[in-house]
Amino acid sequence: MIRTLSTGVCAPALVALTVIALSGCDGGQGGTRAGIWAAGSSTVFPFTTRVAENFARANDSAMPRVESLGTGGGIQAFCAGIGPATPDIANASRQMKASEFDMCQANGVTDILEIKIGYDGLVIAIARNGKDYAFEGADLYLAVAKQVPGPNGFIANPNTDWSQVRAGLPAGRILMYGPPPTSGTRDSWVELGLTPSAEAVPQLAALAESDADQFEAIAHTVREDSVWVDSGENDNAIVQTLTRTPGAMGVFGYSFLEQNNDQVKAASVNGVYPTLETISSGDYPIARSMFIYVKLAHIGVTPGLEQFITEYLSDASAGRGGYLQDRGLVPLPAAELEAQRAAARARTPMQRPE
């Protein structure tokens, strides 16, 4: 017997139904969807796409649909409800926020499987024939923050040349292409790149102690002039821009550096270059975890979804030396990868993030 989610109502109580054909809860579109659908982070996009290619080939099935919407956009689509008009999987280059979890719950997405797939590092890249940069201390904050300390409080960032940031940096205009506010890469850049750099400024370090909210407002706000350019969710486009724009830099995931190391190179941060070893060890300071989120209500409903997850976490895929490492993913340690598999097999729902 085929049971479906009834059309027109997307209430949390419906989530508990065992469904064979997904219908309803789809913005009034109705119908069913046979294939797997994943949406979200541009950084996780190449990893999920690679798994999708292998999955389709091994199972002689249709290629799963994988979309690059940014982490925030992907989670928003994922949390919109249960049914064929919403993704089975959200790709994320950061952990789901408590506010996003609450949005899921409110829309009936009450059981979510959180899977850490590996690590990534954010690189600051420049064309291969460009100058070499070694960033340290407050450099990143003083280059791209909207406000910096002035004689009487905080002022609009006046720095337009790297020589104004710190005397030891090569002279040249500051021009950085990076992720937009909807991207998980932007969140990671702010948290892992700008925040520690801001704390290296004495005035900001003191502010962090006295007024954490004001510190966050200043340290986390990227300038909006022509020095920092939001460049959408296509990291490959940033790579091409760097090769055509002398002196320009780009902020993107390590996987894109690996795939394009014949065209671009990375700057060091606090004396460390991004590599598989320095990212997995935590020595490279701008490193982060990669996730996929899966609707437990869609397992057993969307054909092949459970097998797709198994493929994603296999040694051949996510293990050390697996094909995702070839795409630039930094693998989890073996014990941690097995723990992710165990949680997936048990279908253990995630708890609300703190």
Side-chain angles (χ1 to χ4, degrees):
M1 182 176 95
I2 295 177
R3 291 186 286 171
T4 66
L5 293 180
S6 61
T7 58
V9 180
C10 297
L14 295 174
V15 178
L17 291 176
T18 301
V19 289
I20 304 301
L22 288 169
S23 66
C25 300
D26 58 358
Q29 297 176 19
T32 61
R33 169 169 54 80
I36 297 165
W37 180 12
S41 166
S42 62
T43 303
V44 180
F45 173 81
F47 306 140
T48 301
T49 299
R50 183 72 171 85
V51 175
E53 292 167 350
N54 268 40
F55 174 82
R57 186 164 51 248
N59 293 277
D60 193 24
S61 64
M63 174 74 176
R65 173 182 171 187
V66 185
E67 292 184 304
S68 178
L69 306 177
T71 295
I75 291 178
Q76 184 174 10
F78 177 86
C79 289
I82 300 294
T86 63
D88 305 298
I89 297 170
N91 298 324
S93 56
R94 56 162 172 77
Q95 191 171 40
M96 181 181 285
K97 298 176 181 177
S99 60
E100 293 167 333
F101 181 86
D102 293 342
M103 175 174 60
C104 267
Q105 301 294 301
N107 290 331
V109 186
T110 56
D111 293 314
I112 305 167
L113 182 62
E114 179 184 71
I115 300 173
K116 184 189 293 188
I117 61 168
Y119 302 104
D120 185 36
L122 293 188
V123 303
I124 305 161
I126 194 167
R128 191 119 203 117
N129 60 359
K131 299 174 183 177
D132 292 319
Y133 285 82
F135 296 116
E136 60 185 53
D139 292 349
L140 299 177
Y141 166 78
L142 294 175
V144 302
K146 185 175 182 178
Q147 291 185 303
V148 297
N152 299 295
F154 290 91
I155 61 172
N157 193 337
N159 299 323
T160 57
D161 192 282
W162 287 109
S163 62
Q164 295 174 278
V165 171
R166 181 167 56 82
L169 292 171
R173 67 169 175 162
I174 306 171
L175 176 59
M176 300 189 77
Y177 291 83
T182 56
S183 172
T185 301
R186 174 69 159 263
D187 294 332
S188 297
W189 168 247
V190 167
E191 178 184 350
L192 303 173
L194 290 190
T195 298
S197 183
E199 290 171 343
V201 178
Q203 297 95 316
L204 268 297
L207 185 61
E209 292 291 331
S210 63
D211 191 335
D213 290 341
Q214 187 182 2
F215 168 81
E216 182 174 311
I218 293 172
H220 290 191
T221 304
V222 177
R223 58 198 301 177
E224 298 168 346
D225 54 16
S226 58
V227 172
W228 172 273
V229 180
D230 288 340
S231 54
E233 296 293 350
N234 188 345
D235 292 340
N236 282 314
I238 299 181
V239 172
Q240 296 309 311
T241 298
L242 301 188
T243 63
R244 298 192 301 264
T245 311
M249 294 185 184
V251 176
F252 46 73
Y254 175 75
S255 61
F256 289 92
L257 176 69
E258 282 278 277
Q259 294 167 33
N260 298 280
N261 59 16
D262 59 329
Q263 301 180 72
V264 294
K265 61 184 178 181
S268 65
V269 180
N270 294 341
V272 182
Y273 285 94
T275 66
L276 287 173
E277 291 71 25
T278 60
I279 292 169
S280 61
S281 68
D283 291 336
Y284 182 68
I286 315 180
R288 57 189 175 162
S289 300
M290 305 281 99
F291 298 89
I292 61 172
Y293 292 92
V294 183
K295 286 176 185 166
L296 287 171
H298 284 201
I299 294 179
V301 178
T302 301
L305 181 57
E306 186 169 19
Q307 292 78 10
F308 183 82
I309 298 167
T310 299
E311 171 65 24
Y312 216 129
L313 294 175
S314 68
D315 282 333
S317 171
R320 184 160 293 277
Y323 59 75
L324 292 184
Q325 183 173 328
D326 292 339
R327 282 279 176 103
L329 183 72
V330 179
L332 297 172
E336 189 172 359
L337 179 57
E338 181 52 43
Q340 297 300 310
R341 290 174 183 147
R345 288 193 297 267
R347 301 188 186 180
T348 305
M350 69 179 288
Q351 300 299 307
R352 186 179 188 272
E354 295 181 1

